């Protein structure tokens, strides 16, 4: 190296090792951090620290305090119910067997010495019992086993259900049906009793008791069975009902309710059809405010005008009760009859309705046609547009010899105009489908021979038995049920598949449907093309936040009639049919409504098909609903219960799966039980499904899917010619952007049409099999029907299977 040259500096290569940088300074421990913060600790950390750092003895004391507080709440509730300050203990007697007679049982309950009996002469099977020794008041109501709705209404307000069983069979088919409905609605406190054990021979008595206990363990695993053959056993039963823990129904704990003891009607006009209904009863649940709305179960919502405070008809101590009522006056009157007469005359007015504060009965929004983004055309404009379209279609002329393909191209513009302007009916597709089903049923009726000839093939050889059997057979109902079974079977084998019409263009028949790249991820605007009924409903910005706010307001005590008071409620605008229904023996149950619960909206309920019902239940078929304290009639839609933003509709109510039911109904805040009944042609109501209220959400998107099917005609590697999906060249061009799929998992699209008869060349992601089927999915949003009806008539006596019973009677004859 030359002296004048400098040595070159070393440069690291690309693979030089990179060591971790050294962190200077020492580690700060917990003590150093506390010194820096100078003892300041965030509030959340402090609360967690205190809760975490409790000593063992403190944790034990805290658990004892919580346990003692819960016990005191339960004891206070027991002592309040049936006491002089609370409402009488309401006991509903339910017979679960046709052979049980309740008269002797109720006589045993009334036979205790020292008890005061108050019988209701106007209503049989109802009486009040005042027990000064137990310091309890009771009211017994015997449920009518022939009216299922009355039984369910009484169970909604009952404190205790007294189930009376048969000593040999326990319950029959009707009793099991009633228990299914009561369990689904929500069961309050209950007691099981049996009468007639002492009449059984001693040798068979033990076996009967064992058999009855095994039967009751299926429905009531932890319940005790009480015997009612002596007055002493009846006293034990009363003590058990007074001391047992009360089971709560959520939908009635936040509302005030009462069972009518007496009712009177004052007509407000000359016709006498509408007037003021005076209902007397004990306030239960929550305090009753006159400015709230009152719901009469089975009849609708009404306003209250006044609340009176008449004297208590069942006082626990009449002398003290009279002294309190006349406090501050001279009580030198010695005759108790005079005291009672003065008490009856002294009726105090507790509250009068304030029009400025009283809630409105408005259930629907009055739609304004000029309010939204789009304005609705008037009826005259629609008629003018229809006449203009018809005139334009008539004036169009096609040259002689023009083919179908050329004529379609010439009329294409007019058809597009007509398609864009046809917004007259959102349910056109459903109506066409109903018409097609009706035509199919008519063809089936014309092709089916006399059903009497078919019934001769039954194994019973006697012709007289066949004749008696056919007398109870409804041929029309049989044909309708057969068509439903065929449709349900077809839906199970070919889900959502429909036939493409040959006498109409497919793009006109399915003009309201659209294709989706992905049913799960493709967007769908919830406010797009809403029906006119949506302009009449109410909607919350956040339903669950509104529910939380309403429940918080309920917890704040309102001024009104206290729980346990005997009051007379004046309800305005009530039809006289309500009083007639009450005088016929049906119970009159009243519930006060929470804010917004009188307004109409879209209610979603989560239900599951009941195991006892196997008949097909089609969508938009009219059913009877018991939703919480409401009872109404509506035509629901069924959809899948998923967490996505779109939900596929179901044409039938399928078993063994949870389904969401959507109807137009008044707003009801969860939690609430749901029962669905289907009415037969003979008036009997069958339990179809049970569940609970899900939410109130008009933005729930229910999508109806139809599937168009085609068959591969020629297959060449990934290309195939498909036919029978469409029958016009215009339909192939119209549905060209929609993706295709096959039953064996291939994906593809339409490449081009071939000819004028609907053949099309399609390209797939793999070679098709000759036995494969090409499918196209189309989607449309559907809405329920607006046919809400709060008036539901009483059902006919429930029968397990009429045909089997009738046949058995004939064989016995």
């Amino acid at each position: 190296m030359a002296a004048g040259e400098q040595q070159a500096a070393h440069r690291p290569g690309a693979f030089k090792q990179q060591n971790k940088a050294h962190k200077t300074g020492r580690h700060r421990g917990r003590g150093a951090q506390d010194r820096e913060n100078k003892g300041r600790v965030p509030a959340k950390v402090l609360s967690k620290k205190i809760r975490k750092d409790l000593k063992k003895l403190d944790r034990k004391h805290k658990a004892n305090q919580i346990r003692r507080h819960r016990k005191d709440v339960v004891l206070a509730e027991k002592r309040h119910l049936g006491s002089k300050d609370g409402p009488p203990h309401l006991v509903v007697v339910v017979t679960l067997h046709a052979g049980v007679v309740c008269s002797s049982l109720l006589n045993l309950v009334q036979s205790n010495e020292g008890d005061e009996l108050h019988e209701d002469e106007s209503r049989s099977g109802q009486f009040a019992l005042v027990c000064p020794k137990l310091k309890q008041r009771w009211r017994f109501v015997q449920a009518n086993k022939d009216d299922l709705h009355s039984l369910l209404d009484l169970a909604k307000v009952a404190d205790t259900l007294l189930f009376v069983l048969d000593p040999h069979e326990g319950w029959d088919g009707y009793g099991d049906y009633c228990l299914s409905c009561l369990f689904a609605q929500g069961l309050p406190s209950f007691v099981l009793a049996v009468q007639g054990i002492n009449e059984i021979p001693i040798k068979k008595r033990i076996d009967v008791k064992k058999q009855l206990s095994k039967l009751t363990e299926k429905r009531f695993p932890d319940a005790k069975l009480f015997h009612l053959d002596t007055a002493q056993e009846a006293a034990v039963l009363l003590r058990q009902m007074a001391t047992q823990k009360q089971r709560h129904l959520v939908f009635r704990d936040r509302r005030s309710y009462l069972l009518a003891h007496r009712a009177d009607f004052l007509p407000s006009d000359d016709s006498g059809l509408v007037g003021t209904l005076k209902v007397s009863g004990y306030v239960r649940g929550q305090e009753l405010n006159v400015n709230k709305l009152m719901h009469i179960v089975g009849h609708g919502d009404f306003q209250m005008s006044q609340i009176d405070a008449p004297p208590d008809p069942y006082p626990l101590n009449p002398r003290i009760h009279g002294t309190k009522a006349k406090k501050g006056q001279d009580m030198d009157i010695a005759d108790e009859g005079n005291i009672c007469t003065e008490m009856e005359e002294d009726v105090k007015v507790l509250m009068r309705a304030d029009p400025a504060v009283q809630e409105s009965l408005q259930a629907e929004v009055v739609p304004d046609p000029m309010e939204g983004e789009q304005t609705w055309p008037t009826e005259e404009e629609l008629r003018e547009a229809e006449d203009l379209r018809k005139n334009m279609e008539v004036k169009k002329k096609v040259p002689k010899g023009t083919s179908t393909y050329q004529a379609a191209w010439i009329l294409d513009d007019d058809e597009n105009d007509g398609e864009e302007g046809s917004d007259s009916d959102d349910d056109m597709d459903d109506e066409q489908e109903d018409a097609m089903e009706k035509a199919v049923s008519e063809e089936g009726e014309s092709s089916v021979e006399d059903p009497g000839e078919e019934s001769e093939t039954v194994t019973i050889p006697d012709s007289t038995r066949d004749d008696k059997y056919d007398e109870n057979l409804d041929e029309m109902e049989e044909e309708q049920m057969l068509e439903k079974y065929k449709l349900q079977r077809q839906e199970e084998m070919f889900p959502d598949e429909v036939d493409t019409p040959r006498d109409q263009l497919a793009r006109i028949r399915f003009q309201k449907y659209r294709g989706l790249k992905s049913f799960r991820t493709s967007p769908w605007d919830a406010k797009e093309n809403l029906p006119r009924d949506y302009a009449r409903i109410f909607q919350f910005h956040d339903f669950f936040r509104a529910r939380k706010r309403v429940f918080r307001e309920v917890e704040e005590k309102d001024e009104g009639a206290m729980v346990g008071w005997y009051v007379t409620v004046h309800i305005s605008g009530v039809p006289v049919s309500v009083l007639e229904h009450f005088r016929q023996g049906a119970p009159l149950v009243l519930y006060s409504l929470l804010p917004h619960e009188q307004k109409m909206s879209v209610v979603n309920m989560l239900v599951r098909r009941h195991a006892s019902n196997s008949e097909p239940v089609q969508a938009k078929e009219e059913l009877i609903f018991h939703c919480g304290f409401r009872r109404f009639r509506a035509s629901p839609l069924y959809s899948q219960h998923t967490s996505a933003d779109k939900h596929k509709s179901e044409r039938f109510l399928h078993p063994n799966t949870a389904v969401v039911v959507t109807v137009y109904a008044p707003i009801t805040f969860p939690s609430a039980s749901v029962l669905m009944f289907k009415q037969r042609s003979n008036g009997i109501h069958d339990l179809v499904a049970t569940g609970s209220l899900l939410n109130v959400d008009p933005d729930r998107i229910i999508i109806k899917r139809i599937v168009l099917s085609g068959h591969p005609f020629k297959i060449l590697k990934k290309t195939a010619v498909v036919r029978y999906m469409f029958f016009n060249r215009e339909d192939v061009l119209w549905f060209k952007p929609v993706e295709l799929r096959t039953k064996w998992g291939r994906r593809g699209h339409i490449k081009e049409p071939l000819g004028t008869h609907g053949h099309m060349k399609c390209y797939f992601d793999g070679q098709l099999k000759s036995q494969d089927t090409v499918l196209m999915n189309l989607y449309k949003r559907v809405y329920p029907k607006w046919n809400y009806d709060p008036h539901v008539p009483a059902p006919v006596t429930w029968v397990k299977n009429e045909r089997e019973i009738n046949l058995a009677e004939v064989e016995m004859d």
Side-chain angles (χ1 to χ4, degrees):
M1 180 182 293
E5 294 180 356
Q6 297 182 356
Q7 187 176 1
H10 174 71
R11 300 180 181 276
F15 301 102
K16 181 180 180 299
Q17 180 180 354
Q18 297 291 337
N19 294 325
K20 190 175 181 180
H22 177 65
K23 295 182 179 180
T24 58
R26 72 184 188 88
H27 173 67
R28 294 189 306 162
R30 186 173 180 180
Q33 295 179 10
D34 292 341
R35 285 192 297 271
E36 289 183 4
N37 295 327
K38 297 181 180 179
R40 291 176 292 186
V41 182
K44 291 184 179 181
V45 177
L46 183 63
S47 62
K48 291 180 181 180
K49 183 178 179 181
I50 293 176
R51 186 163 59 249
K52 182 179 180 181
D53 294 345
L54 285 176
K55 296 181 179 179
K56 182 177 181 180
L57 185 61
D58 295 335
R59 292 196 303 270
K60 184 177 180 181
H61 289 331
K62 187 176 181 180
N64 289 334
Q65 290 176 356
I66 295 173
R67 191 182 303 110
R68 192 180 302 112
H69 174 70
R70 292 177 179 175
K71 185 178 179 180
D72 292 341
V73 170
V74 174
L75 289 175
E77 183 182 7
K78 289 181 182 179
R79 292 165 182 169
H80 182 71
L81 182 63
S83 64
K84 61 183 180 65
D85 298 327
H89 195 127
L90 181 58
V91 180
V92 177
V93 182
V94 182
T95 58
L96 298 180
H97 196 278
V100 175
V101 180
C102 291
S103 58
S104 58
L105 182 145
L106 298 179
N107 292 333
L108 287 175
V109 175
Q110 302 171 7
S111 61
N112 291 331
E113 296 182 0
D115 295 347
E116 298 180 8
L117 178 64
H118 301 268
E119 294 185 357
D120 194 349
E121 298 178 356
S122 60
R123 305 179 69 82
S124 60
Q126 298 188 14
F127 64 91
L129 194 66
V130 179
C131 305
K133 294 182 180 179
L134 298 176
K135 296 182 180 181
Q136 290 284 325
R137 296 186 296 174
W138 307 85
R139 180 166 178 82
F140 287 84
V141 179
Q142 184 176 354
N144 184 10
K145 62 181 181 180
D146 296 336
D147 190 354
L148 179 62
H149 291 329
S150 298
L151 173 60
L152 295 178
D153 291 344
L154 287 172
K156 293 173 184 176
V157 295
D159 297 319
T160 301
L161 292 179
L162 177 56
F163 294 118
V164 185
L165 282 66
D166 182 76
H168 298 282
E169 299 181 5
W171 52 73
D172 55 6
Y174 170 76
D176 187 69
Y177 179 69
C178 291
L179 288 177
S180 299
C181 298
L182 291 173
F183 272 93
Q185 180 178 261
L187 200 64
S189 301
F190 62 91
V191 175
L192 302 179
V194 61
Q195 192 176 22
I197 293 292
N198 294 341
E199 298 177 0
I200 301 175
I202 299 177
K203 294 181 179 181
K204 298 182 180 180
R205 193 175 299 175
I206 297 177
D207 296 336
V208 170
K209 288 182 179 180
K210 289 182 179 180
Q211 183 180 0
L212 195 59
S213 62
K214 289 182 180 180
L215 180 65
T216 55
E217 284 179 358
K218 297 179 181 179
R219 285 279 191 178
F220 311 96
D222 301 328
K224 181 181 178 181
L225 187 62
F226 291 86
H227 299 168
L228 282 178
D229 291 320
T230 61
Q232 184 179 2
E233 292 175 345
V236 173
L237 178 66
L238 286 178
R239 187 174 295 276
Q240 169 64 22
M241 290 190 294
T243 57
Q244 70 178 355
K245 183 179 179 181
Q246 293 296 313
R247 302 177 65 177
H248 294 273
L249 299 181
V250 180
F251 67 85
R252 73 181 187 183
D253 287 342
R254 295 188 174 94
R255 301 171 178 87
S256 58
Y257 59 95
L258 58 90
L259 176 66
H261 292 188
R262 295 178 181 85
D264 192 13
F265 185 78
L266 296 177
S268 58
D269 53 5
D270 297 336
S271 63
L273 300 178
V274 180
T276 301
L277 183 67
K278 296 182 180 180
V279 181
S280 300
Y282 290 92
V283 180
R284 303 173 185 270
Q286 297 291 334
E287 297 180 3
L288 180 60
N289 193 338
V290 71
N291 294 317
K292 292 184 178 181
L293 298 180
M294 183 66 72
H295 176 79
I296 302 178
V297 177
H299 299 282
D301 305 332
F302 304 94
Q303 286 181 332
M304 293 181 287
S305 60
Q306 181 178 323
I307 297 179
D308 300 336
D312 196 336
Y314 313 125
L316 193 60
N317 192 333
R319 189 178 299 276
I320 297 176
H321 184 80
T323 305
K324 288 185 178 180
K326 300 294 181 181
K327 187 176 181 180
Q329 299 182 6
D330 188 8
M331 294 299 296
D332 294 334
I333 304 174
D335 189 7
E336 294 184 0
N338 295 335
I339 293 176
C340 295
T341 304
E342 292 180 4
M343 288 169 58
E344 291 177 359
E345 296 176 355
D346 186 13
V347 177
K348 299 179 181 179
V349 178
L350 290 179
M351 297 182 67
R352 295 184 186 273
D354 185 4
V357 186
Q358 192 175 24
E359 295 186 8
S360 174
L361 275 174
Q362 183 183 4
E364 302 178 13
V365 179
V366 180
D368 185 5
M370 304 298 293
E371 187 176 1
E373 291 183 7
Q374 301 175 353
T375 57
W376 294 105
T378 62
E379 298 294 336
E380 296 180 358
E381 292 176 348
L382 290 174
R383 285 195 297 268
E384 291 177 359
E386 185 67 19
D387 296 339
L388 180 61
R389 185 181 66 83
K390 291 181 179 179
N391 294 334
M392 292 177 63
E393 290 179 354
V394 171
K395 291 180 180 179
K396 285 288 182 180
K397 295 183 179 180
V398 179
K400 188 176 181 180
T402 305
S403 64
T404 307
Y405 169 70
Q406 294 172 341
W409 275 105
I410 294 174
L411 299 176
D412 194 25
D413 297 335
D414 297 338
E415 289 173 0
N416 289 336
D417 296 337
E419 179 185 342
E420 293 175 358
S422 61
D423 193 17
S424 60
D425 187 9
D426 289 337
D427 293 334
M428 182 189 69
D429 297 324
D430 297 332
E431 292 178 358
Q432 292 182 357
E433 291 177 3
D434 295 339
M436 293 172 64
E437 293 173 3
K438 185 177 180 181
V440 171
S441 63
E442 290 178 354
E443 293 178 0
E445 292 177 0
S446 61
S447 60
V448 175
E449 296 179 357
D450 186 8
E453 298 180 0
E454 295 181 359
S455 62
E456 292 180 358
T457 59
V458 181
T459 56
I460 303 173
D462 192 357
S463 61
T464 57
R465 297 182 180 179
D466 293 339
D467 295 339
K468 291 184 179 181
Y469 182 82
D470 292 338
E471 288 178 359
N472 300 303
L473 185 64
D474 189 352
E475 298 180 6
M476 185 65 67
E477 183 181 1
E478 286 291 317
E479 292 296 334
Q480 294 177 357
M481 192 58 62
L482 178 61
E483 291 299 326
K484 287 185 180 180
Y485 274 113
K486 289 181 180 179
L487 291 175
Q488 186 180 20
R489 179 62 175 168
Q490 185 178 2
E491 177 69 17
E492 294 175 356
M493 296 177 61
F494 308 100
D496 302 325
E497 290 194 25
V498 297
D499 295 331
T500 307
R502 304 192 62 177
D503 57 347
Q504 187 182 12
L505 291 176
R507 66 190 186 95
I508 296 179
R509 171 65 180 85
F510 306 119
Q511 59 183 340
K512 295 182 181 179
Y513 291 83
R514 68 181 68 175
L516 296 178
K517 181 70 175 177
S518 172
F519 183 81
R520 185 179 62 86
T521 60
S522 297
W524 196 302
D525 188 5
K527 304 296 184 181
E528 176 187 359
N529 295 332
L530 296 178
R532 292 191 180 185
D533 290 336
Y534 264 55
R536 303 163 57 186
I537 65 174
F538 290 85
Q539 182 177 6
F540 295 102
H541 180 69
D542 189 340
F543 173 72
F544 292 100
R545 181 180 295 179
R547 183 188 66 166
K548 187 177 181 180
R549 176 178 55 81
V550 169
F551 287 171
R552 191 185 307 115
E553 294 175 357
V554 171
E555 294 176 358
E556 301 174 0
K557 299 297 182 181
D558 297 332
E559 296 181 358
M562 300 293 292
V563 178
W565 287 5
Y566 185 79
V567 299
T568 299
V569 182
H570 296 245
I571 307 175
S572 305
V574 181
V576 69
S577 59
V578 178
L579 182 63
E580 295 175 355
H581 190 257
F582 176 70
R583 288 177 176 174
Q584 291 174 0
L588 192 61
V589 178
L590 284 72
Y591 268 87
S592 67
L593 298 181
L594 299 178
H596 312 295
E597 284 195 331
Q598 81 279 10
K599 300 174 182 177
M600 295 291 293
S601 187
V602 179
V603 179
N604 301 309
M605 297 167 272
L606 182 62
V607 302
R608 187 179 290 270
R609 184 74 177 268
H610 197 259
S612 63
N613 188 275
S614 59
E615 296 182 356
V617 181
Q618 201 169 3
K620 295 187 179 181
E621 186 176 354
E622 192 176 70
L623 298 176
I624 298 171
F625 289 82
H626 283 252
C627 182
F629 56 90
R630 292 187 186 273
R631 182 171 75 243
F632 57 89
R633 189 189 300 268
S635 298
L637 284 180
Y638 308 125
S639 58
Q640 295 179 353
H641 180 50
T642 59
S643 59
D645 59 343
K646 295 181 292 297
H647 311 274
K648 181 184 173 298
S649 67
E650 298 289 348
R651 298 186 180 182
F652 290 89
L653 184 61
H654 298 293
N656 303 325
T657 181
V659 180
V660 177
V661 177
T662 303
V663 295
Y664 287 114
I667 295 171
T668 305
F669 292 105
S671 301
S673 58
V674 174
L675 283 80
M676 295 168 55
F677 293 89
K678 180 181 178 181
Q679 184 174 353
R680 300 187 201 170
S681 59
N682 54 7
I684 297 177
H685 293 178
D686 293 332
L687 182 61
V688 173
T690 60
S692 60
L693 182 63
L694 185 61
N695 58 17
V696 178
D697 185 15
D699 287 341
R700 179 181 175 88
I701 303 176
I702 303 176
I703 303 297
K704 178 181 178 180
R705 184 186 72 175
I706 63 171
V707 179
L708 305 181
S709 60
H711 303 277
F713 179 46
K714 297 179 181 179
I715 301 174
L716 181 62
K717 293 185 178 180
K718 294 185 178 182
T719 306
V721 178
V722 180
R723 61 179 177 179
Y724 302 149
M725 181 177 288
F726 304 107
F727 300 96
N728 296 281
R729 184 183 182 92
E730 299 82 6
D731 293 338
V732 177
L733 294 173
W734 181 265
F735 291 99
K736 185 177 179 180
V738 183
E739 186 182 18
L740 300 176
R741 67 179 181 89
T742 68
K743 289 188 175 182
W744 287 17
R746 294 299 180 187
R747 297 280 177 171
H749 61 273
I750 301 174
K751 196 171 183 179
E752 60 180 354
L754 300 176
T756 60
H757 296 283
H759 292 205
M760 54 187 181
K761 183 186 294 185
C762 304
Y763 186 82
F764 295 90
D765 57 357
Q767 187 172 359
L768 297 185
K769 302 293 184 180
S770 59
Q771 60 269 33
D772 202 352
T773 305
V774 181
L775 305 176
M776 176 183 289
N777 294 340
L778 298 177
Y779 303 93
K780 179 187 74 168
R781 186 177 179 183
V782 292
Y783 306 91
K785 288 184 179 180
W786 190 297
N787 58 348
Y788 169 79
D789 184 13
H791 306 285
V792 180
V796 183
T797 306
W798 183 86
V799 180
K800 184 176 181 181
N801 193 330
E802 285 187 328
R803 298 178 186 172
E804 293 180 359
I805 293 176
N806 293 332
L807 186 59
E809 293 176 353
V810 172
E811 290 178 350
M812 290 176 62
D813 294 336

